[in-house]
Amino acid sequence: MIIVIQCADQVGLVASISAVVAQQQLNIVSMREYVDTTEHLFFMRLEVEEIVDPTELELQLKTVLPAEATIHINPLPHKKIAVLVTKEYHCLADILIRNFFNTLGATVQCVIGNHDDLRDVCERFGIQFYHVSHADKSKDTFEQEISHLIQPYQPDYLVLAKFMRILSPAFVAEYPMRVINIHHSFLPAFIGANPYRKAYERGVKLIGATAHYVSNELDEGPIIAQQIIPVNHSFTVADMVNAGKEIETSVLAKALKLVFEDRVFVYNNKTVVFE
Amino acid sequence: MIIVIQCADQVGLVASISAVVAQQQLNIVSMREYVDTTEHLFFMRLEVEEIVDPTELELQLKTVLPAEATIHINPLPHKKIAVLVTKEYHCLADILIRNFFNTLGATVQCVIGNHDDLRDVCERFGIQFYHVSHADKSKDTFEQEISHLIQPYQPDYLVLAKFMRILSPAFVAEYPMRVINIHHSFLPAFIGANPYRKAYERGVKLIGATAHYVSNELDEGPIIAQQIIPVNHSFTVADMVNAGKEIETSVLAKALKLVFEDRVFVYNNKTVVFE
Amino acid sequence: MIIVIQCADQVGLVASISAVVAQQQLNIVSMREYVDTTEHLFFMRLEVEEIVDPTELELQLKTVLPAEATIHINPLPHKKIAVLVTKEYHCLADILIRNFFNTLGATVQCVIGNHDDLRDVCERFGIQFYHVSHADKSKDTFEQEISHLIQPYQPDYLVLAKFMRILSPAFVAEYPMRVINIHHSFLPAFIGANPYRKAYERGVKLIGATAHYVSNELDEGPIIAQQIIPVNHSFTVADMVNAGKEIETSVLAKALKLVFEDRVFVYNNKTVVFE
Amino acid sequence: MIIVIQCADQVGLVASISAVVAQQQLNIVSMREYVDTTEHLFFMRLEVEEIVDPTELELQLKTVLPAEATIHINPLPHKKIAVLVTKEYHCLADILIRNFFNTLGATVQCVIGNHDDLRDVCERFGIQFYHVSHADKSKDTFEQEISHLIQPYQPDYLVLAKFMRILSPAFVAEYPMRVINIHHSFLPAFIGANPYRKAYERGVKLIGATAHYVSNELDEGPIIAQQIIPVNHSFTVADMVNAGKEIETSVLAKALKLVFEDRVFVYNNKTVVFE
């Protein structure tokens, strides 16, 4: 069972929280805590061996925590997700494979593509695929069609697995800190479109990928994970795109694992990640 | 102030320890703990803002800890070291530079070389250099000469910065888990002499370096830090040696920083490292 | 078109070879060469824009090369492979996905498992799966059954994608330097079974994976690619196994790409790799 | 002996060049070539065992190369450098140490600091240190003072080893593609001042360092080498600065080695690097 706490910092928090946990005879398997001493914020992730009634435990924790504390207790952590894609298969296929073999830490409920290219691979794994074209309609209509499809599933997270349309602030606001994107550059370098072309023109010696929560600003949301690989003068833009796919796949997989295991906290447009 | 605790695990340890700390109005800046659930061992490193009397705090901690608990409280953590070298300069020079600019986290008291080659660089920094040749004498005599020189300094750690003689178990036993070596391979690959030649002959695509505590068995002590760099078919043995020097320097620097900041625990010939 | 040459070194080889290529009005897109100056061996990989008759070009090259030279000219490089597996899906699934989307650089002709677990994922992609149990039969019989199944496909390479049986020298000899294995350790550390348990017990701070050709000696064949990831004291053996899967997948993918693009030469139980 | 050629591409260049080299009975130890097929540019670096008269060889090479070809022949490659610093010691000390032990591949002729802090470490190694304060004078005067000091040394390169003043285009123009800077970020992310603060505020998970030639635009010159290290939420700005120093040191050392060994070509504000 995982217990996740975020609140204002005060002296004795660890003592009070661990006292509550000890009273309940819960055995702490792993405890991670972090204090942002500038912002006076306290973050804790506890893993205990036993599974108990979350309601009672939450009540007891509230008695020792500041009023505004956020407490999440996940008896059986397992998330539900919807995946948005365009044409590129690599991130989606990795998610589908892990989903199929039950190692994703979440269940893929459906996949929505603004192109129809990835229907086949989804259907081979028995995953519902919806094609919602963005052509010949307003962004508003496009997003309403997506929302309408997603709603019945009540997913915990939307995963943008190389979804190449920019979502409106209104859409994103429906899923606050629940939309996860993979951006094909080492943010904040090369924000926006065609990052590999920009990287090529700048003559960089490393290229990167960044998994982040989507906020209102393009490519400006809290970063969850980043990774790079070396490139050199002999790489064309196409070579960089291909090399980048490998780390896009791997950094998105890593970020999803962290999020699904309740290891990521968000504040001030940054993340605390207990790896 | 840093508080370091190692003891048998039991329910409620975090609660009891943090209660003691809170009673003393100490503000925890950082807390790291780990439980080896197989061996039922508990490890904790606490950093508190305030500096208080260690004797009193230790007494209070003892009242809540199991009988055999190891407690170290470092009010002003700063270590003293003696460095043993042979002919290669890279690790020694890095230590001397950090020592000179007060960023080593320790004070170099003296350097002992079984060759005289590195005297000049030491003396340029005003560091006492002793030449103790191993030639024409027994290992026993050789080590007694070294011991005799070191003793007045009472160093906390001996650092083997590319010291190419094997120390006897008797010598090492004088400094239990206080002798730190840099081995020029990714242990346990290529134990013993000429690891780069062996790596070359095996045709590996990565070479490594390992910083570890010295125990009785050659290159078998607890590992503190490891690092690798890529190599390829075009590397001669000499190229590997040169490339290796860069990571030997950097992995030893990293290991020393971890040890000097009291972030490394040893048990079962392994380390717990709170990075 | 790719031209690959391996021969004894002699002065003027590059001049003679490039003169032949220039005579044929072939435009060199990329040229890589390496001379092992100890062994006096010459290796070259040429990529030219045009596609011409290989027979004629080979004849002309032979006139300027030493007698024993090996020349391979691949007008349309595309390999055929058979994949051997046991129960773990990660390497196989990665291969199947790339095969499905035509980015593998080879065609998967069939998959053979000594367990039946991975039949489903193969069949979802329309790939023929054969179950050949090793139980209740001699290794000889087991391998004959596999050989018999493979033979009609005439694959260029056998890929051991986490195939957990040791193949006999006799079997391997049928496919000299054409069997590629992924070993779940940073060879030559932790040769043989249970490398992650051994890594755990040794307390290493990095774990690795190695893709190599299979030779007669267990885990002693020429290394194609290696990769590592950091681990720490909190990793159980199971955590290491899981972390290891990510690099096993990625290092095997990298090695296969190198081999399928004719970038790997073998000699003296080592490889020359023109990345 | 090293031969470096940069010219317009044409069919048969490798053949013609290697024919010239073979005629002279020169034994090629290593040959690297690259063609930018978009810009139709050809780059080659040759290492031959023998040392011959460069004038005669250059004449012969000119007969087979396009008119505008750049040819550099270094019989005894060893460069001379002047180093500019401010207060931070880490890059300078690394250079001084390598210089002292003759492993830099260049000779440090003098060090100029706009603060006096690093005089001591220079003088301990017998290196001439000049203090040129930027205070109370125009940039023009400041730079003239520096130029005046440097001129008698005729250095091949100026190395900005954490020199924190921006040099004017006029000054840089005196040393075209001969001023090498270490920038404390992963360019093009965090151009300009305080990159670690910006990285901290953006919440990145990796920080980088970039060695590049200085051109007219701030931090926009051709990149030679880049490197990154992971950071996390627990890093303060000061922690990032300290972690960054390690890679600044190492990436500058790597870039200098590449430049001093004539492995770096510049065109279109990018580099070709034959590692």
Side-chain angles (χ1 to χ4, degrees), chain B residues 23-265:
Chain B
Q23 271 161 30
Q24 296 234 334
Q25 300 294 318
L26 297 176
N27 206 27
I28 297 173
V29 177
S30 116
M31 166 187 277
R32 294 293 299 273
E33 59 91 51
Y34 170 67
V35 175
D36 183 322
T37 52
T38 313
E39 305 286 330
H40 305 291
L41 287 171
F42 174 88
F43 305 86
M44 180 176 270
R45 182 185 185 273
L46 276 165
E47 219 171 316
V48 297
E49 273 183 303
E50 299 78 5
I51 295 177
V52 297
D53 178 18
T55 327
E56 172 60 19
L57 180 58
E58 190 170 337
L59 272 176
Q60 293 198 20
L61 284 169
K62 275 195 172 154
T63 63
V64 302
L65 294 176
E68 314 273 288
T70 312
I71 309 170
H72 284 300
I73 302 177
N74 293 322
L76 286 171
H78 197 82
K79 309 296 189 287
K80 294 175 295 173
I81 64 170
V83 184
L84 274 66
V85 297
T86 296
K87 289 180 170 184
E88 284 175 282
Y89 73 86
H90 53 288
C91 289
L92 174 64
D94 185 71
I95 290 169
L96 291 176
I97 289 286
R98 291 176 201 260
N99 183 63
F100 181 70
F101 286 102
N102 294 314
T103 56
L104 182 63
T107 302
V108 177
Q109 299 180 300
C110 68
V111 175
I112 297 168
N114 64 318
H115 288 269
D116 204 33
D117 303 49
L118 299 172
R119 174 185 298 279
D120 187 0
V121 71
C122 289
E123 293 182 348
R124 280 172 192 265
F125 288 109
I127 299 295
Q128 180 69 52
F129 179 90
Y130 301 105
H131 177 207
V132 181
S133 173
H134 62 280
D136 302 321
K137 63 186 71 148
S138 70
K139 173 174 282 202
D140 206 43
T141 311
F142 174 59
E143 293 185 346
Q144 275 170 26
E145 287 178 32
I146 293 173
S147 280
H148 197 253
L149 282 169
I150 290 172
Q151 232 157 20
Y153 293 105
Q154 297 284 316
D156 296 302
Y157 293 97
L158 302 194
V159 178
L160 311 186
K162 302 291 288 175
F163 179 68
M164 306 311 276
R165 310 297 301 173
I166 296 167
L167 294 167
S168 70
F171 182 94
V172 171
E174 289 179 54
Y175 304 90
M177 293 306 140
R178 288 165 51 205
V179 184
I180 296 162
N181 185 43
I182 178 72
H183 182 76
H184 42 319
S185 90
F186 180 74
L187 289 176
F190 310 124
I191 287 175
N194 295 323
Y196 292 121
R197 169 149 296 282
K198 291 174 191 161
Y200 170 82
E201 280 162 5
R202 183 61 188 90
V204 295
K205 300 302 183 189
L206 304 170
I207 58 173
T210 304
H212 64 98
Y213 291 106
V214 178
S215 62
N216 287 351
E217 301 297 319
L218 177 61
D219 302 336
E220 295 283 8
I223 293 170
I224 305 166
Q226 297 189 291
Q227 208 177 319
I228 58 90
I229 39 165
V231 294
N232 62 48
H233 57 269
S234 77
F235 280 64
T236 61
V237 176
D239 292 336
M240 287 192 182
V241 168
N242 284 328
K245 282 174 182 169
E246 307 292 328
I247 51 167
E248 290 164 21
T249 307
S250 116
V251 80
L252 180 58
K254 184 184 171 187
L256 293 181
K257 186 175 152 65
L258 292 168
V259 169
F260 297 161
E261 292 180 0
D262 295 306
R263 295 179 181 279
V264 186
F265 300 72

Side-chain angles (χ1 to χ4, degrees), chain C residues 69-89:
Chain C
T70 312
I71 308 169
H72 284 299
I73 302 176
N74 294 320
L76 285 171
H78 195 82
K79 308 296 188 288
K80 295 175 293 171
I81 64 170
V83 184
L84 274 68
V85 298
T86 296
K87 289 180 170 184
E88 286 175 281
Y89 73 86

Side-chain angles (χ1 to χ4, degrees), chain A:
Chain A
M1 199 168 73
I2 290 163
I3 305 156
V4 158
I5 297 167
Q6 180 166 348
C7 61
D9 189 31
Q10 61 188 39
V11 173
L13 270 182
V14 175
S16 329
I17 296 167
S18 49
V20 166
V21 171
Q23 271 162 29
Q24 297 235 334
Q25 300 293 320
L26 298 176
N27 206 25
I28 297 174
V29 178
S30 117
M31 166 188 279
R32 293 294 299 274
E33 58 90 52
Y34 170 66
V35 175
D36 183 322
T37 51
T38 313
E39 305 285 331
H40 305 290
L41 288 171
F42 174 88
F43 304 86
M44 180 176 268
R45 181 184 185 276
L46 277 165
E47 219 172 316
V48 298
E49 272 183 305
E50 301 78 3
I51 295 176
V52 298
D53 177 18
T55 326
E56 171 60 18
L57 180 58
E58 190 171 336
L59 272 176
Q60 293 198 21
L61 284 170
K62 275 195 173 155
T63 63
V64 302
L65 294 177
E68 315 272 289
T70 312
I71 309 169
H72 284 298
I73 302 177
N74 293 320
L76 285 172
H78 196 81
K79 308 296 188 288
K80 295 174 295 173
I81 64 170
V83 184
L84 275 66
V85 297
T86 297
K87 288 179 170 185
E88 284 175 283
Y89 73 86
H90 53 288
C91 289
L92 173 65
D94 184 72
I95 291 169
L96 291 176
I97 288 288
R98 291 176 201 259
N99 183 65
F100 181 70
F101 286 103
N102 293 314
T103 56
L104 182 64
T107 302
V108 178
Q109 299 179 298
C110 68
V111 175
I112 298 170
N114 63 318
H115 287 269
D116 204 35
D117 302 49
L118 299 172
R119 174 184 299 280
D120 186 0
V121 71
C122 290
E123 292 181 348
R124 278 170 193 268
F125 288 109
I127 299 296
Q128 180 70 52
F129 179 90
Y130 301 105
H131 177 208
V132 181
S133 173
H134 62 280
D136 302 321
K137 63 186 72 148
S138 69
K139 174 174 282 202
D140 205 46
T141 310
F142 175 60
E143 293 184 347
Q144 274 171 27
E145 286 178 32
I146 294 175
S147 280
H148 196 252
L149 283 170
I150 291 172
Q151 231 156 24
Y153 292 106
Q154 297 285 315
D156 295 302
Y157 294 97
L158 302 196
V159 178
L160 311 187
K162 302 290 290 175
F163 178 68
M164 304 312 275
R165 309 298 301 173
I166 296 168
L167 294 167
S168 70
F171 182 95
V172 172
E174 289 180 53
Y175 303 90
M177 293 307 139
R178 289 164 51 206
V179 184
I180 296 163
N181 185 42
I182 178 72
H183 182 76
H184 41 322
S185 90
F186 180 72
L187 288 176
F190 310 124
I191 286 175
N194 295 322
Y196 290 121
R197 170 150 293 281
K198 291 174 191 163
Y200 171 81
E201 280 163 5
R202 183 62 188 90
V204 296
K205 300 303 184 188
L206 304 170
I207 57 172
T210 303
H212 63 99
Y213 291 106
V214 179
S215 61
N216 287 350
E217 301 297 317
L218 176 63
D219 301 338
E220 294 284 7
I223 293 170
I224 304 166
Q226 299 189 291
Q227 207 176 321
I228 56 91
I229 41 164
V231 294
N232 62 47
H233 58 268
S234 77
F235 280 64
T236 61
V237 176
D239 292 336
M240 288 192 181
V241 168
N242 283 330
K245 282 174 183 169
E246 306 293 328
I247 50 167
E248 290 164 20
T249 306
S250 116
V251 80
L252 180 59
K254 183 184 170 188
L256 293 182
K257 186 174 152 66
L258 291 168
V259 168
F260 296 161
E261 291 179 3
D262 296 306
R263 295 178 181 279
V264 186
F265 300 72
V266 177
Y267 76 111
N268 282 3
N269 206 42
K270 299 201 289 190
T271 59
V272 169
V273 180
F274 292 136
E275 282 192 68

Side-chain angles (χ1 to χ4, degrees), chain C residues 85-124:
Chain C
V85 298
T86 296
K87 289 180 170 184
E88 286 175 281
Y89 73 86
H90 52 289
C91 289
L92 173 65
D94 184 70
I95 290 169
L96 292 176
I97 288 287
R98 291 176 201 260
N99 183 64
F100 181 69
F101 287 101
N102 294 315
T103 57
L104 182 63
T107 302
V108 178
Q109 300 180 298
C110 68
V111 175
I112 298 169
N114 64 317
H115 288 269
D116 204 33
D117 303 48
L118 298 172
R119 173 185 298 280
D120 187 359
V121 71
C122 290
E123 292 182 348
R124 279 170 193 267

